[in-house]
Amino acid sequence: MLNHILANREGRRVAVIVNDMSEVNIDGALVRGGPGESTLDGDVALNRSEERLVEMSNGCICCTLREDLLIEVSQLAREGKFDYLVIESTGISEPLPVAETFTFEDESGQSLSHVARLDTLVTVVDGANFLEQYREAQSLAEAGESLGEDDERNVADLLVDQIEFCDVLLISKTDLINEKELEALKAILRSLNPDAELVPITQGGVPLGKVLDTGKFNFERAQLAPGWLKEMRGEHVPETEEYGIGSFAYHARRPFHPQKFHDLLNQEWFGKGLLRSKGFFWLATRPQAAGQWSQAGGIAHHGPAVFWKAIPEERWPTDPETRQFIMEKWQEPFGDMRQELVFIGQNLDQAKMREALDGCLLSEAELLKGMNAWKKLPDPFPSWE
């Protein structure tokens, strides 16, 4: 959806801030088109002199990054080159404290509301997975199950918070569900938020008028929402504490054995606690290509991306910002070829997951055999033309 907004053909000048709670901002790289070429929708270049992508990592804009957000938004406003700013918050953030961030003042009394108008709060609902998650939560409630004092809240509560406090509900992946399932989902969403506009979308193709310059957000109405006073009093509990949600990044500088990694992806090692995973992976049989991985709920995708190591340096971008980004990831002898995966979930067994991923890496003996030997390993992944 961010790619679709940035690559719009309607002459709208849009800047984007991508916020990720992990130390690696994979979303920012995905909007660029992967770890390599900066492409949007396959053929639209991200021209940094005309469009702006700002990455904010390792924290949430409603908690630890409020001051940073004020600085970035003020800078974009002063540049005067953009009509709209789209902020993608982390997938686990609650919309209410994000909205309240606009009232946050720094030491000089400046706030976001002095330089920008909060126009619309948009929540994207996973059309293919939400019904199952919601019904599971509903059956627990009907069964009279009660959480003990020390139990964390269910993730379903976070989903409901994101639905109840927004102006527009985008229903994604509508191509993966039938009409009956879509209507059932709409009915549940209307019961949770009767005022929000429901917009089914596929592959992020949202009509821009539904999410830009709608004038839908209303502070007076928002102040009536449950919990707003807690935010104003500074009583917000970070989502990581409230829901037991955390994240970790997996890094490695040697390739995966394709068969082992493929087998791992098709096992039940994820568990129900894994909400989201994304990033880039490197297969030994494809020493100069990157794989792109994205999983949300029960839906996962993988396909090709690009590593700069595979591209002659004379074809690299010339702007200093992009070249700096490339070199920050560079490490000899393999350049920017690497494993860089981020996992977000509830009560994840990080040690077990790291051990499983480490087990997919080439052994020291396999590594020393060289790339010609690597290419002969069994590789069940589809071809990346």
Side-chain angles (χ1 to χ4, degrees):
M1 186 179 73
L2 295 180
N3 287 343
H4 173 74
I5 292 173
L6 277 175
N8 76 82
R9 298 294 196 278
E10 301 177 12
R12 299 173 188 252
R13 302 179 303 169
V14 181
V16 170
I17 289 180
V18 180
N19 177 215
D20 202 316
M21 69 172 286
S22 65
E23 70 264 31
V24 179
N25 196 330
I26 296 295
D27 285 341
L30 291 175
V31 173
R32 282 200 198 88
E37 293 179 321
S38 303
T39 57
L40 301 171
D41 289 357
D43 63 351
V44 182
L46 177 59
N47 185 333
R48 290 181 178 274
S49 65
E50 297 176 4
E51 290 130 340
R52 182 70 177 273
L53 170 68
V54 177
E55 302 170 46
M56 302 182 70
S57 303
N58 208 16
C60 182
I61 56 174
C62 66
C63 303
T64 57
L65 299 180
R66 281 183 169 181
E67 192 166 351
D68 293 345
L69 182 68
L70 177 55
I71 293 171
E72 292 289 357
V73 175
S74 298
Q75 174 63 31
L76 289 170
R78 283 195 299 271
E79 290 179 13
K81 295 192 300 185
F82 306 102
D83 304 312
Y84 308 99
L85 169 62
V86 175
I87 301 174
E88 186 214 27
S89 186
T90 72
I92 67 157
S93 66
E94 295 175 67
L96 190 149
V98 172
E100 199 272 330
T101 298
F102 272 72
T103 67
F104 167 77
E105 295 185 354
D106 63 12
E107 294 178 354
S108 63
Q110 289 294 304
S111 74
L112 285 176
S113 60
H114 292 140
V115 295
R117 172 179 57 86
L118 180 54
D119 177 75
T120 318
L121 283 178
V122 179
T123 291
V124 183
V125 176
D126 184 336
N129 291 293
F130 179 81
L131 271 180
E132 179 183 355
Q133 294 167 342
Y134 181 82
R135 284 170 177 154
E136 284 181 1
Q138 187 180 46
S139 65
L140 286 173
E142 290 173 349
E145 297 286 347
S146 61
L147 297 175
E149 284 185 2
D150 297 326
D151 284 347
E152 287 122 359
R153 292 179 60 187
N154 193 289
V155 172
D157 295 325
L158 175 60
L159 299 178
V160 171
D161 284 342
Q162 293 179 345
I163 289 167
E164 288 180 336
F165 195 77
C166 70
D167 306 300
V168 177
L169 283 165
L170 301 181
I171 306 174
S172 72
K173 304 178 186 175
T174 53
D175 55 325
L176 301 181
I177 58 178
N178 59 42
E179 190 65 29
K180 184 177 180 181
E181 291 170 323
L182 178 59
E183 289 306 312
L185 176 55
K186 285 182 177 179
I188 289 175
L189 296 177
R190 286 195 189 97
S191 70
L192 294 172
N193 189 338
D195 297 322
E197 182 175 6
L198 303 184
V199 183
I201 63 172
T202 302
Q203 299 293 326
V206 59
L208 297 188
K210 297 293 186 182
V211 293
L212 299 180
D213 201 22
T214 70
K216 287 181 177 293
F217 183 78
N218 183 288
F219 259 113
E220 286 69 32
R221 185 176 70 245
Q223 288 173 341
L224 300 177
W228 183 269
L229 284 178
K230 285 189 176 182
E231 299 300 330
M232 298 297 286
R233 294 169 184 159
E235 298 174 11
H236 171 60
V237 178
E239 290 79 1
T240 50
E241 296 179 24
E242 189 171 4
Y243 301 98
I245 294 175
S247 72
F248 73 93
Y250 178 80
H251 301 272
R253 286 286 176 164
R254 65 173 63 186
F256 283 136
H257 187 296
Q259 187 67 61
K260 292 180 180 178
F261 186 56
H262 185 272
D263 292 345
L264 181 62
L265 294 180
N266 287 279
Q267 292 174 8
E268 291 297 324
W269 73 288
F270 294 114
K272 288 189 176 182
L274 185 63
L275 303 173
R276 184 84 166 97
S277 62
K278 51 194 174 180
F280 308 105
F281 62 93
W282 173 27
L283 300 177
T285 48
R286 309 174 194 202
Q288 291 185 305
Q292 177 176 301
W293 169 260
S294 178
Q295 166 265 331
I299 303 296
H301 302 280
H302 54 75
V306 176
F307 282 140
W308 288 109
K309 180 70 172 179
I311 299 173
E313 190 169 350
E314 59 266 21
R315 289 174 52 195
W316 289 13
T318 56
D319 65 283
E321 187 178 355
T322 302
R323 292 184 74 91
Q324 180 183 352
F325 175 80
I326 294 171
M327 296 315 298
E328 285 174 353
K329 303 293 184 180
W330 204 265
Q331 183 177 314
E332 294 297 348
F334 300 122
D336 59 344
M337 294 188 285
R338 65 197 185 276
Q339 315 296 353
E340 188 172 80
L341 296 163
V342 171
F343 300 90
I344 301 172
Q346 188 175 40
N347 304 319
L348 297 178
D349 189 337
Q350 185 179 148
K352 182 179 179 181
M353 294 175 71
R354 287 188 184 278
E355 182 181 3
L357 289 164
D358 286 343
C360 296
L361 298 172
L362 290 190
S363 67
E364 191 70 25
E366 290 171 326
L367 190 70
L368 292 174
K369 289 180 180 180
M371 292 187 181
N372 288 333
W374 301 353
K375 293 178 182 179
K376 298 176 183 178
L377 294 171
D379 184 347
F381 284 86
S383 174
W384 294 339
E385 295 295 340

